[in-house]
Each structure stands twice: as structure tokens, then as C-alpha cells.
Amino acid sequence: MNESQKKSRNRKLVWKKVALIMLSAFMGFTLTTEGTVFPPPPRSSKVPVIVVHGMGGTPLYRKDENGNWVRAGSVAASTMMRLFRNDPGFLSNVFKLGSKDKFQEKEWNALISGISEFAKTTDINCSPDGGPNGVGVRNYWTTPLSEHPDYFDYDNGVTRIAKELCLENGYDNVYAYNYDWRLDLYDSGANGLDHFIHEVMRQTGAKKVTLVCDSLGGATVNCYLDAHKNDDVLDRVIIVNGALEGVDFASAFTESLYASPTEISQYLKQLGTSLNGGKYEILFFAGSAMFSGMLNTLSENLNNGLEENHIQKRIFLECFHPIFGNIPAIYECIPYKDFDESMEKMTSIGFLQKDSELYNKLQQFHIAQGHAEQNLKDVHRRGVQVAIIASYGYPGIPLTRNCRKQTDILIETEYMSAGATVAYSGEKLPLRPGKYKSADREIDASTCALPDSTWFIKNLRHVDFEVGTPAMKFIAGLSLGYYDCNLESVQKSTGYSQFLLADSHQNLTNITPNNTGDPGRLMAIRPSRRN
């Protein structure tokens, strides 16, 4: 057989194979359309991981006047310009707050009127019963993130955590529970999560799932635990900077808004020393010094106005209520200890109606919030691996009298750790070495609900974890079972202790007496205790 004949034979063999493949595909298609059921693809042996976002963790949408879906919650620049054009004195009144020695009542009235006009243009408030009010999510899926690459276009803390989990665990094994974060976290968030979990289990054949939550997602997961902790469907629960017991800034509902120039200045200084490893310290210091006089005047005018009940009432009813007065999740950020007083204050001024469905929903949530520490203990006792990650090193937002508590820049470390005793910002706990006590003398974890399953990371902002960093890989390891969720297992596997220091690249080192992350000076030593 010559070379030409060989080539001809090879071509014929190739075409026979192609024809056979096409015939097989056609037969498969024919059999399928005739009703033959083929076995499903092999199911993964991995435990499905479900990420649960916090406030603002998924975009909201509404229909415009033409019936098209548009993003809710954003105010167009044209709207702002129209407001300024219609009320040219509005901006001047804002500047007068910080530049005029005495802010008169007529100027307060003008300022409140201007803010209220802006408030009317916002579009995320719920209906009076706490319902959706024509706004909702459009990316609710019960299928894995392998089918939804656009999920990662909405960059935030939980999408980055999800990205890390996908890279480590496979996109087919990670799911995102996208829910309307405005609605009641118990009735809508937690019960919706229960349905989501069972749908994922049905699809995958898994007996259990892992929940990974951040921020307000921690409160959602707590509500789920309160209602379903005996269901035996959880393998792990990982809570990252979770609002388990509230956020002190929401204690403003007790009508306790307050501005201290000293605390504002200290807030700026401490932000300067902690943001990006102190990269902006000089800038913050210069800004604080330059505007110190204005801060004094601004704080004095704000406090004088807020002390007048009729002015504060107008601020709540005309400025705040149109924006978020019917959103259940806003109230559900109130710390447990401040809840009853907040309800009393808000109902007394007509901000919240005591006979409303919204009020009843909040009462149910409040009960679950009070069970947070016990819920964690109960699921842990049932064999669920639980890990709590809490950041610290930042002062609180300086607009309430509780702003000296340490936070992750938003949520108090005490609340997100389910009970740690934490020194006030810039201060130290009494010198009492021992287990569960940080070497920088700022945290005593012995009072936590689960002291052996709680870790603290200093100088890492609220859910500001970056993909691929040691800090993020630590969360992934806890979530995916690389080690058990207890101090001994983690230390043995990673070398990490309970108290960690993050640098500007989110590398983690153990906090020791010689590695505290302090800016080089100590303030007066004063103990802090849980309230």
C-alpha cells in the first residue's frame, strides 16, 4: 500500500469515527425525547457552603414610570442639583452649622426643610407594615455560583468571601442567599434562609450545609438558629464581623444623638493611625488640627439643637422617617439593651405605631436577639462547628455617647464577639494575664458565649477582607473544614493564636507584648466592662 492509499484509508477511518459519534449523539437525543431518564451527574461529596450577606449586600431594584427595572437606593446627581437650585440657602445653612457661633431656630427650620425635601426623593423605604413597597432583589438563585458569574460584579465583603470560597472549594459548591436585607430578619430573612437551605440540600443530595455570614447577616443567621437550631442540617456556622447583638450607632433611636468635638477629633486621629498601617496619619492629623475650631462650633450647634425636643422630633419625622422609618432591619440593628427604650421613644413621637404589624415584627426579632448567645451555645453543643471572627482597633462612630467602645469601624467588638469584655478605644484593661486575654490588654474573651471558638483581628476594617490574603484564607480554612473551629486545632494547623494583628496587606501575626499594633503611646488605664 503506497503513501497515497494510506492517507485515503486514514481519512475514511476519521470520517467513520465522526459519523459514529454523530449517530450516537442522534440516538441519545432520540432516546431522551422518547422519555428515557438518564442518571444525573455525580453529586459532590463536599458540604455545600451558603454565604449570607449583610445590609446592602445585594442590589435592590424597582420599576420606573416606563416599567423598566432600575436600581433603587441611589439618588441621581440631577436630583441633588435640582434641590440646591430650588433652595439655594440650603448649603449655606449647612456651612453655618460649623461657622456661626449661634445657630438660630429659623436656621434649623430651614435646614430641616431642605433635608426633608431630599429625603422625599429616596426610594428604599418599606411600606408601613414593613413590606417590600415595590422594591426587591432580582438575583435570587438557588443554583450554585458557577452559574452566576455576574454575582461578583457587585463587589463587597461577602462577594469577596464567596470568591475566596469558590477558588478554594469550587464554584459548584458555593451558593449565595440573596435576600431583601431591608425586611424583617426573622420573618423574611431567617424563614427564607430555611427554605433556601432545604432547596440546596434537595438539589445536591447533601445532608448538611455550612453557613458563612457577615455583618447584618450575622443577625439573620441568629434568627435562623433561634427558629431552626434543632433541625440538624448545619455542619458549620462561620460568623464574620456579625451584628449579633446590635450596633451602638442605632441607639440613636433613644434620641441620644450627641456630637463631642473631642471624640470626633480622637476618632480622626485613631483612624489615621490604623487605616492602611498609618499611611494617612499625617493627613488626618493635619485635617483635625485645621478644622478643630469648626468642630467645636459644629458640635455645640448640633447639641444645642438636639437638646430641643421639638427640633429633634422634626429631624426624626421629616428627615429620617421618609428614608428608613418603615425598614425593619434598621430597627433590628438596635442593641438589645437599648431596644425597649428606643421603642418607647419612637412610638411617643409618632415615628413608629405601636398597633402596627411592623411593631409586632420588631418584638419577635427582639426576643431572638436576646437569645443570641444561648443559640450559639446550643448549636455548638449539638455538634455544629461554630467560629466567630471579630475585628477591633477602631473607635465607634462619634455621634452617640457610646462612641468610645472599640469597633471594626462600624460594629462594636463586644456585640460581634457575643460577649467579650473590651477596653474602651485607646485604653487598656487591668493587667490580669491568663487564657482568653489579649497581650495588648484590650480583649478578655472569657466572657464570650464561645471563648474557645472566637478569634479577634486587630486593625482589620468591617468585612474588608481581600481575596487571596492570609486573613481571607483564615476564614476559608474555618469555613471549609481545613481545621476544627477551636483554638487548639487552629493553633496546631496554622500557628495562629486567638488574637491576631493584621498589617496593611492583611498578613496576620500573633499579638504579643512586643507586637501589639499600638501607635506607640498609651492612654490612661481604665477598665471597661460589659453594659
Side-chain angles (χ1 to χ4, degrees):
M1 184 181 297
N2 59 36
E3 192 65 29
S4 176
Q5 289 173 322
K6 287 181 180 180
K7 288 182 179 180
S8 176
R9 187 188 66 173
N10 288 340
R11 281 195 297 268
K12 289 179 180 178
L13 288 173
V14 168
W15 281 112
K16 283 182 179 179
K17 290 179 180 179
V18 171
L20 182 61
I21 292 170
M22 293 178 67
L23 179 60
S24 299
F26 176 75
M27 289 176 64
F29 174 76
T30 304
L31 289 171
T32 302
T33 56
E34 288 295 323
T36 302
V37 178
F38 289 94
R43 288 175 168 176
S44 172
S45 61
K46 296 179 180 178
V47 176
V49 179
I50 299 172
V51 294
V52 183
H53 63 72
M55 186 172 290
T58 194
L60 300 176
Y61 292 85
R62 61 174 175 82
K63 284 190 175 181
D64 64 12
E65 59 274 10
N66 298 318
N68 300 315
W69 287 103
V70 296
R71 281 280 295 274
S74 59
V75 179
S78 58
T79 302
M80 296 295 295
M81 293 303 296
R82 185 169 63 252
L83 288 173
F84 294 147
R85 186 168 57 250
N86 294 340
D87 185 7
F90 174 70
L91 278 179
S92 64
N93 281 321
V94 172
F95 286 115
K96 282 180 184 178
L97 267 177
S99 60
K100 190 170 181 179
D101 291 338
K102 182 68 175 176
F103 204 65
Q104 304 295 333
E105 182 161 340
K106 65 177 182 179
E107 292 164 326
W108 268 112
N109 290 335
L111 182 61
I112 290 171
S113 296
I115 296 174
S116 67
E117 287 303 310
F118 161 77
K120 293 173 186 175
T121 67
T122 61
D123 59 2
I124 65 166
N125 205 1
C126 293
S127 55
D129 63 351
N133 200 26
V135 175
V137 300
R138 297 193 66 214
N139 58 345
Y140 179 87
W141 322 291
T142 57
T143 46
L145 290 179
S146 56
E147 299 184 20
H148 308 285
D150 55 331
Y151 168 78
F152 301 102
D153 294 340
Y154 192 68
D155 180 55
N156 57 42
V158 79
T159 59
R160 278 181 245 132
I161 291 174
K163 182 76 169 181
E164 183 73 34
L165 296 173
C166 287
L167 293 172
E168 296 270 348
N169 197 42
Y171 287 78
D172 286 335
N173 298 295
V174 182
Y175 299 76
Y177 174 51
N178 292 328
Y179 62 105
D180 188 337
W181 44 267
R182 303 170 305 150
L183 305 183
D184 174 45
L185 300 179
Y186 196 106
D187 181 47
S188 178
N191 290 332
L193 177 57
D194 178 58
H195 172 79
F196 190 91
I197 287 171
H198 283 89
E199 180 59 24
V200 169
M201 291 169 61
R202 185 192 67 79
Q203 291 181 33
T204 61
K207 301 298 182 183
K208 294 188 177 184
V209 301
T210 289
L211 297 181
V212 181
C213 60
D214 78 336
S215 195
L216 195 65
T220 300
V221 167
N222 172 59
C223 289
Y224 171 79
L225 296 180
D226 197 65
H228 302 284
K229 60 188 172 187
N230 295 322
D231 288 1
D232 197 29
V233 297
L234 298 178
D235 182 60
R236 290 178 177 237
V237 175
I238 314 298
I239 303 171
V240 183
N241 296 161
L244 287 169
E245 299 180 302
V247 183
D248 254 324
F249 184 61
S251 65
F253 280 115
T254 63
E255 295 186 282
S256 61
L257 285 169
Y258 176 79
S260 164
T262 302
E263 301 298 340
I264 294 174
S265 178
Q266 188 64 30
Y267 181 75
L268 294 174
K269 287 179 182 177
Q270 292 208 28
L271 279 182
T273 60
S274 56
L275 283 175
N276 292 328
K279 181 179 179 180
Y280 304 110
E281 183 172 8
I282 295 177
L283 182 63
F284 274 90
F285 179 80
S288 180
M290 185 180 302
F291 296 107
S292 60
M294 182 180 288
L295 282 176
N296 288 330
T297 306
L298 174 65
S299 300
E300 184 177 351
N301 279 326
L302 279 174
N303 293 331
N304 287 339
L306 294 172
E307 286 173 1
E308 298 292 335
N309 289 336
H310 66 286
I311 290 178
Q312 187 157 189
K313 180 178 179 180
R314 282 197 64 194
I315 291 173
F316 272 90
L317 294 180
E318 298 178 39
C319 302
F320 294 165
H321 197 276
I323 301 174
F324 56 75
N326 297 327
I327 296 180
I330 297 292
Y331 296 94
E332 292 168 353
C333 290
I334 299 170
Y336 182 82
K337 63 182 177 59
D338 295 320
F339 185 85
D340 290 337
E341 183 182 357
S342 296
M343 295 296 99
E344 180 63 32
K345 292 280 189 181
M346 292 300 100
T347 53
S348 69
I349 65 172
F351 193 87
L352 179 65
Q353 305 304 316
K354 217 166 190 176
D355 59 352
S356 66
E357 186 177 343
L358 173 57
Y359 183 89
N360 292 332
K361 290 177 179 178
L362 300 179
Q363 299 303 312
Q364 183 183 37
F365 170 84
H366 179 55
I367 293 171
Q369 187 186 42
H371 296 163
E373 296 184 19
Q374 190 59 49
N375 287 337
L376 293 169
K377 293 177 182 178
D378 288 345
V379 295
H380 186 262
R381 193 178 298 115
R382 290 178 62 86
V384 178
Q385 296 267 331
V386 180
I388 300 169
I389 297 104
S391 297
Y392 72 110
Y394 297 90
I397 300 172
L399 289 176
T400 71
R401 296 183 185 273
N402 292 326
C403 65
R404 296 178 60 236
K405 292 183 176 182
Q406 289 209 54
T407 72
D408 63 357
I409 212 168
L410 178 62
I411 302 175
E412 284 66 31
T413 307
E414 171 191 339
Y415 300 149
M416 70 178 100
S417 63
T421 299
V422 185
Y424 284 124
S425 181
E427 300 183 5
K428 298 294 178 183
L429 296 173
L431 184 58
R432 293 172 186 162
K435 190 177 182 182
Y436 308 125
K437 295 177 175 62
S438 64
D440 60 7
R441 292 170 48 207
E442 296 181 28
I443 307 288
D444 179 355
S446 66
T447 54
C448 292
L450 298 175
D452 275 300
S453 299
T454 306
W455 288 264
F456 298 83
I457 304 179
K458 191 173 186 178
N459 294 347
L460 189 54
R461 294 186 300 277
H462 184 69
V463 294
D464 192 26
F465 297 85
E466 296 293 341
V467 174
T469 62
M472 184 70 95
K473 289 188 177 297
F474 174 54
I475 293 174
L478 290 168
S479 304
L480 302 177
Y482 295 171
Y483 23 81
D484 288 339
C485 295
N486 61 68
L487 300 181
E488 182 180 356
S489 176
V490 168
Q491 179 127 33
K492 185 177 180 181
S493 300
T494 67
Y496 291 152
S497 69
Q498 183 168 33
F499 305 99
L500 302 166
L501 178 66
D503 66 13
S504 58
H505 300 291
Q506 299 188 2
N507 297 304
L508 299 179
T509 54
N510 293 330
I511 288 182
T512 67
N514 297 320
N515 185 46
T516 64
D518 290 342
R521 59 184 182 277
L522 288 180
M523 302 190 68
I525 297 175
R526 170 180 166 182
S528 172
R529 54 188 177 274
R530 296 192 66 197
N531 294 326

